[in-house]
Amino acid sequence: MYALVERMYPLCRSITGDGVRATLKIVGEYLPLQVHEVPTGTQVLDWTVPQEWNIRDAYIADPAGNRVVDFAASSLHVLGYSVPVSATMPLAELRSHLHTLPDHPSWVPYRTSYYKPDWGFCLAQETLDTLPDGEYEVRIDSTLADGHLTYAEHLVPGQVADEVLVSCHVCHPSLANDNLAGIAVATFLARALAERTPYYTYRFLFAPGTIGAITWLARNGERVDRVKHGLVLACAGDRGSLTYKRSRRGDAEIDRVLPHVLAASERPHHVAEFTPYGYDERQFCSPGFDLGVGSLTRTPYAGYPEYHTSADNLDFVSPEAMADTLAVCREAFAVLDRNRRYLNLSPYGEPQLGRRGLYDALGGRSDAKQAQMAMLWVLSLSDGEHSVLDIAERSGLPFDTVAEAAGALHGAGLIKA
């Protein structure tokens, strides 16, 4: 995963353009992708697909001709969606187009102007402080023209058509945690799920933030009811503890599964309530759709000083943190896939488990007593109303033990899904 982040890091991404396509091409080496191109001007809910932005070069040259700010050194140096510029101007005039972080003078900020025509440069405050007065050459070799918005999907077929949506945004330039780590974790999560046939069908969405999710929803409104659960992945590689943000509903199944998995694993973690601000969970959870989509991050949105700055670099993320995020996703989806509701087919009195070989199967197990109790709990609460997770939480038994007991009872014909 870290190697994938390294490959994607130098690319200049935005909400449209060749940087997005180049990123998806790299992801496509790991997963088969269905890539969609949506033309400029397409109405998507209350929004319109914007013009496509591409950039080849940009720089500020000082009075001596030295490039003091250079897009070639970092894609963060240019205000995202800057209109083309070729001019000479005094530093006093140029200053209104320069963005810095005075509190972190060595860092370069990430700034954009997607929906208002503008241009600008981002640079370290310590660089700005050294610039002498004089005439500066300003050059932004960009295009803003009718084109397309690009996003991609990957499908992991399941046993049923009901879907779990996993979404990550692909619009940020050289920011390793936000959100290249999310792309990498999503990619390897899809590969892991494909190693078996999951119960649910898993749809992975790689799309620009906000406008990409809105475009996907606009184009899939007639089948969005297939999405029974969902998770937005972002900020997946920093060294902070994991944070799960609930869906707007607050009581969706995913809102129970993630906190359960995090608590059971005894990882340091935080569970946050929904707010209509953050990543694309706010689009999927908008009241007209109201999907059960939560968000999983490590340190949350804007919760670390390096957020949206050049300090969110390859040193800020770690392979270990991404591996931990991936492991939690795999554990959570394993619970989700097995969290059925069962109906006891022999509800009058306790069925005789011994003659069905169910007790014999426990003979060599070190946790035989726990497994036996799990069977009794499943039989007691399999009334079509309680899920496996309900039973695990009420009994205080591990989810895996309860799910295994349910599988044994189902195999013996004592319960049905």
Side-chain angles (χ1 to χ4, degrees):
M1 287 185 288
Y2 188 85
L4 176 55
V5 170
E6 285 184 308
R7 287 188 65 191
M8 296 185 293
Y9 184 75
L11 298 175
C12 182
R13 280 164 292 273
S14 189
I15 55 173
T16 63
D18 291 335
V20 174
R21 296 186 185 97
T23 300
L24 295 177
K25 184 177 180 181
I26 292 173
V27 174
E29 296 175 19
Y30 294 78
L31 301 171
L33 295 178
Q34 183 180 9
V35 178
H36 304 268
E37 298 276 5
V38 184
T40 295
T42 302
Q43 188 71 29
V44 286
L45 306 180
D46 195 45
W47 295 58
T48 303
V49 173
Q51 289 188 310
E52 181 177 324
W53 183 70
N54 286 292
I55 184 167
R56 287 164 290 277
D57 192 18
Y59 62 87
I60 300 173
D62 66 14
N66 302 307
R67 290 194 179 193
V68 292
V69 180
D70 195 347
F71 171 77
S74 171
S75 60
L76 295 178
H77 276 310
V78 174
L79 177 77
Y81 254 62
S82 281
V83 299
V85 175
S86 182
T88 301
M89 63 186 67
L91 180 60
E93 181 181 346
L94 178 58
R95 281 182 180 275
S96 64
H97 294 278
L98 302 181
H99 305 271
T100 65
L101 293 166
D103 291 342
H104 297 282
S106 65
W107 297 357
V108 177
Y110 165 55
R111 299 288 184 268
T112 62
S113 185
Y114 295 141
Y115 301 105
K116 177 186 176 184
D118 198 358
W119 65 270
F121 288 86
C122 300
L123 66 159
Q125 180 68 43
E126 62 187 20
T127 300
L128 178 59
D129 291 342
T130 66
L131 298 183
D133 287 335
E135 294 291 312
Y136 285 77
E137 180 188 359
V138 180
R139 171 79 166 161
I140 298 178
D141 183 11
S142 65
T143 57
L144 194 57
D146 287 354
H148 296 82
L149 179 146
T150 309
Y151 70 89
E153 295 176 280
H154 171 76
L155 205 67
V156 180
Q159 299 170 38
V160 297
D162 290 345
E163 293 183 3
V164 178
L165 177 67
V166 181
S167 174
C168 59
H169 57 277
V170 296
C171 53
H172 284 17
S174 296
L175 300 173
N177 195 41
D178 181 26
N179 186 46
L180 295 180
I183 297 171
V185 170
T187 299
F188 279 78
L189 176 59
R191 288 171 59 134
L193 288 168
E195 293 172 358
R196 58 183 177 84
T197 301
Y199 178 73
Y200 289 107
T201 293
Y202 285 80
R203 183 176 300 276
F204 286 79
L205 176 62
F206 300 88
T210 304
I211 186 65
I214 286 171
T215 299
W216 184 85
L217 286 165
R219 301 182 82 212
N220 293 274
E222 75 287 348
R223 61 184 185 86
V224 78
D225 59 347
R226 294 184 191 176
V227 177
K228 305 303 181 185
H229 320 281
L231 193 64
V232 172
L233 281 174
C235 300
D238 69 84
R239 293 167 176 81
S241 58
L242 283 157
T243 296
Y244 176 70
K245 175 183 171 183
R246 297 184 190 275
S247 72
R248 175 181 174 271
R249 296 181 193 174
D251 61 353
E253 192 169 340
I254 195 81
D255 296 328
R256 294 187 58 207
V257 168
L258 257 299
H260 174 85
V261 166
L262 289 167
S265 71
E266 299 185 345
R267 288 175 172 89
H269 69 278
H270 175 64
V271 177
E273 296 304 316
F274 176 80
T275 63
Y277 192 68
Y279 292 110
D280 283 330
E281 67 279 358
R282 68 189 196 274
Q283 311 305 334
F284 302 122
C285 293
S286 56
F289 295 105
D290 198 23
L291 300 177
V293 176
S295 171
L296 184 66
T297 63
R298 300 194 74 83
T299 306
Y301 179 96
Y304 49 97
E306 297 85 355
Y307 179 78
H308 279 194
T309 78
S310 58
D312 184 354
N313 55 31
L314 294 172
D315 293 331
F316 185 66
V317 298
S318 75
E320 294 79 10
M322 285 187 280
D324 186 53
T325 306
L326 175 62
V328 167
C329 290
R330 294 185 67 173
E331 292 165 24
F333 290 158
V335 170
L336 199 62
D337 264 359
R338 294 177 293 163
N339 192 31
R340 312 274 195 285
R341 285 177 169 79
Y342 289 98
L343 184 65
N344 189 337
L345 298 178
S346 183
Y348 299 102
E350 181 180 306
Q352 189 175 10
L353 302 180
R355 70 179 175 86
R356 293 176 170 86
L358 292 172
Y359 279 152
D360 293 341
L362 304 177
R365 294 177 55 143
S366 60
D367 63 342
K369 183 65 175 177
Q370 188 179 66
Q372 178 183 337
M373 286 303 301
M375 286 188 187
L376 296 176
W377 273 109
V378 171
L379 288 168
S380 178
L381 294 180
S382 289
D383 52 8
E385 299 295 326
H386 293 85
S387 68
V388 174
L389 182 56
D390 291 329
I391 299 169
E393 290 182 341
R394 181 164 174 180
S395 66
L397 296 169
F399 179 91
D400 286 347
T401 302
V402 177
E404 190 174 338
L409 292 167
H410 185 268
L414 287 171
I415 60 175
K416 71 173 183 179

